[in-house]
């Protein structure tokens, strides 16, 4: 082996890492890597710090990516991604992450490193370096083989996709209210346009439930891995004024049925009890290990 290191180059490496993640992904995240849509969605999130992506590290073996150290949105957090068979490299990447991906506040550095519950070698190394586990959340999936649960749409509501209608003002309003921001929605529609700029974003997979008055009541973004057989929900929101009507369940189910037609066999959900209540199963756990120094 001839492992070399270099920094991430946003414009030329984005798609290379996309492909690296796809090719080294194991069903239900059992390979210790994030799903490809997680990586791509983060790059178009309004809070993603594009200015510091040069701090991402790339390790290559004879020109092929063997490992990546990156944050999801900004400094202070870290994910380690490795080529299949190169998982042994993760403990050795901790020092780099502490130097390049930690954040500084009140004259102290801090770093959160995300691992999966089965990564014993990495967790042992984190303990030795002074990290402690302070958070754990389930990774849940809905297996299409179990069948979809049909639910009746409330009277006057309708289901559309972004191909039918793509009103950025309405999208911004439902996401703003759905994520419980205070006050009324601002006028930053560019952040919603940015979220649709990803190379593999698909309008036909995003499901919107429209209220009788024309407002977007629920928004379910959906992604698909082009190599592996899964779908990925991001984001999912319901306007508080339309909650407890079953709209999110209907929107997710509609999007999952679309992805099933394109070859998906399961879909990743989130940690809230909502997902397990509609048939999502826990397949492993993601843990956050933290250190302040």
């Amino acid at each position: 082996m001839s492992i070399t290191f270099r920094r991430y180059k946003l414009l030329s490496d984005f798609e290379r890492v996309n492909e690296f993640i796809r090719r080294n992904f194991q069903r239900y995240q059992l390979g210790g890597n994030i799903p490809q849509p997680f990586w791509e969605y983060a790059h178009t999130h309004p809070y993603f710090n594009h200015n510091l992506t040069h701090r991402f590290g790339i390790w290559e073996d004879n020109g092929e990516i063997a490992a990546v150290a990156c944050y999801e949105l900004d400094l202070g957090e870290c994910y380690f991604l490795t080529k299949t068979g190169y998982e042994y490299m993760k403990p050795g990447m901790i020092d780099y992450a502490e130097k390049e991906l930690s954040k500084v506040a009140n004259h102290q550095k801090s770093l959160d490193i995300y691992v999966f519950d089965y990564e014993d070698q990495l967790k042992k190394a984190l303990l030795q370096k002074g990290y402690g586990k302070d958070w754990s959340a389930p990774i849940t999936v809905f297996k299409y083989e179990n069948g979809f649960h049909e639910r009746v749409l409330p009277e006057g509501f309708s289901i559309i996709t972004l191909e039918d209608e793509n009103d950025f003002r309405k999208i911004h309003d439902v996401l703003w209210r759905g994520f419980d921001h205070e006050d009324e929605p601002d006028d930053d529609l560019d952040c919603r346009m940015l979220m649709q700029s990803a190379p593999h974003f698909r309008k036909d997979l995003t499901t919107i439930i429209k209220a009788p008055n024309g407002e977007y009541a629920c928004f379910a973004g959906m992604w698909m891995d082009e190599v592996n057989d899964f779908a990925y929900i991001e984001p999912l929101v319901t306007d508080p004024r339309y909650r407890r009507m079953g709209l999110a369940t209907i929107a997710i189910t509609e999007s999952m049925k679309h992805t099933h037609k394109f070859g998906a066999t399961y879909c990743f959900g989130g940690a809230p009890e909502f997902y397990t209540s509609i048939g999502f199963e826990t397949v492993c756990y993601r843990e956050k290990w933290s250190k302040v120094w």
Side-chain angles (χ1 to χ4, degrees), residues 66 96 108 113 178 192 216 235-236 276 288:
Y96 176 82
Q108 288 185 315
I113 296 180
R192 306 311 173 192
Y216 292 172
L236 172 67
T276 55
K288 183 177 75 173

Side-chain angles (χ1 to χ4, degrees), residues 140-144 222 231-233 256 265-269 280:
T140 60
V141 302
F142 186 94
K143 300 175 182 177
Y144 293 178
M222 184 66 83
Y232 183 87
I233 302 168
M256 289 194 298
T265 61
Y266 67 101
C267 179
F268 280 103
F280 282 74

Side-chain angles (χ1 to χ4, degrees), residues 61-78:
D61 186 359
N62 292 320
E64 289 192 11
I65 297 177
V68 177
C70 62
Y71 54 67
E72 179 186 6
L73 297 177
D74 208 343
L75 295 179
E77 58 186 15
C78 178

Side-chain angles (χ1 to χ4, degrees), residues 98-100 102-111 291-293:
E98 289 186 350
K99 179 182 178 183
E100 298 290 344
S102 60
K103 68 179 179 181
V104 180
N106 299 321
H107 307 291
Q108 288 185 315
K109 290 186 177 181
S110 64
L111 182 63
K291 177 181 175 181
V292 178
W293 69 100

Side-chain angles (χ1 to χ4, degrees), residues 47-293:
Y47 295 159
F48 183 74
N49 189 343
H50 294 85
N51 295 327
L52 295 179
T53 57
H54 59 273
R55 297 220 186 171
F56 293 3
I58 293 182
W59 289 260
E60 295 177 317
D61 186 359
N62 292 320
E64 289 192 11
I65 297 177
V68 177
C70 62
Y71 54 67
E72 179 186 6
L73 297 177
D74 208 343
L75 295 179
E77 58 186 15
C78 178
Y79 289 83
F80 296 143
L81 320 175
T82 53
K83 183 178 179 179
T84 303
Y86 289 72
E87 295 84 1
Y88 70 88
M89 293 181 61
K90 289 188 176 183
M93 297 160 66
I94 297 173
D95 288 342
Y96 176 82
E98 289 186 350
K99 179 182 178 183
E100 298 290 344
L101 298 175
S102 60
K103 68 179 179 181
V104 180
N106 299 321
H107 307 291
Q108 288 185 315
K109 290 186 177 181
S110 64
L111 182 63
D112 299 328
I113 296 180
Y114 291 87
V115 307
F116 294 101
D117 57 343
Y118 51 81
E119 295 188 284
D120 294 333
Q121 184 182 12
L122 177 54
K123 292 196 291 184
K124 181 179 179 180
L126 289 170
L127 276 172
Q128 292 173 344
K129 288 184 175 293
Y131 287 79
K133 185 179 76 171
D134 62 6
W135 177 85
S136 178
I139 301 295
T140 60
V141 302
F142 186 94
K143 300 175 182 177
Y144 293 178
E145 63 193 47
N146 294 333
F148 300 106
H149 305 290
E150 301 297 336
R151 288 173 171 79
V152 178
L153 193 66
E155 184 176 356
F157 288 78
S158 58
I159 298 174
I160 62 172
T161 73
L162 287 177
E163 285 192 324
D164 302 314
E165 181 179 299
N166 193 8
D167 190 317
F168 288 107
R169 175 76 260 175
K170 293 179 181 179
I171 292 171
H172 184 58
D173 289 352
V174 68
L175 289 175
W176 180 282
R177 295 191 174 103
F179 283 118
D180 298 318
H181 291 291
E182 297 180 357
D183 303 320
E184 286 300 301
D186 61 25
D187 294 320
D188 183 16
L189 303 189
D190 285 296
C191 71
R192 306 311 173 192
M193 298 177 193
L194 173 65
M195 293 175 72
Q196 294 186 26
S197 67
H200 305 98
F201 175 83
R202 290 178 53 172
K203 293 181 180 180
D204 61 321
L205 298 184
T206 296
T207 299
I208 296 169
I209 297 185
K210 199 171 181 179
N213 62 2
E215 292 180 329
Y216 292 172
C218 180
F219 185 98
M222 184 66 83
W223 303 72
M224 269 194 68
D225 184 294
E226 297 177 0
V227 172
N228 300 288
D229 61 343
F230 69 83
Y232 183 87
I233 302 168
E234 194 71 76
L236 172 67
V237 293
T238 301
D239 187 310
R241 296 171 296 173
Y242 300 104
R243 288 175 183 167
R244 301 189 181 280
M245 301 175 65
L247 301 184
T249 302
I250 294 171
I252 290 175
T253 301
E254 191 70 18
S255 287
M256 289 194 298
K257 289 194 294 186
H258 281 314
T259 63
H260 190 36
K261 295 177 183 177
F262 293 104
T265 61
Y266 67 101
C267 179
F268 280 103
E273 293 182 1
F274 161 75
Y275 288 97
T276 55
S277 71
I278 63 173
F280 282 74
E281 306 172 33
T282 298
V283 291
C284 62
Y285 285 81
R286 178 185 291 121
E287 300 175 355
K288 183 177 75 173
W289 289 64
S290 304
K291 177 181 175 181
V292 178
W293 69 100

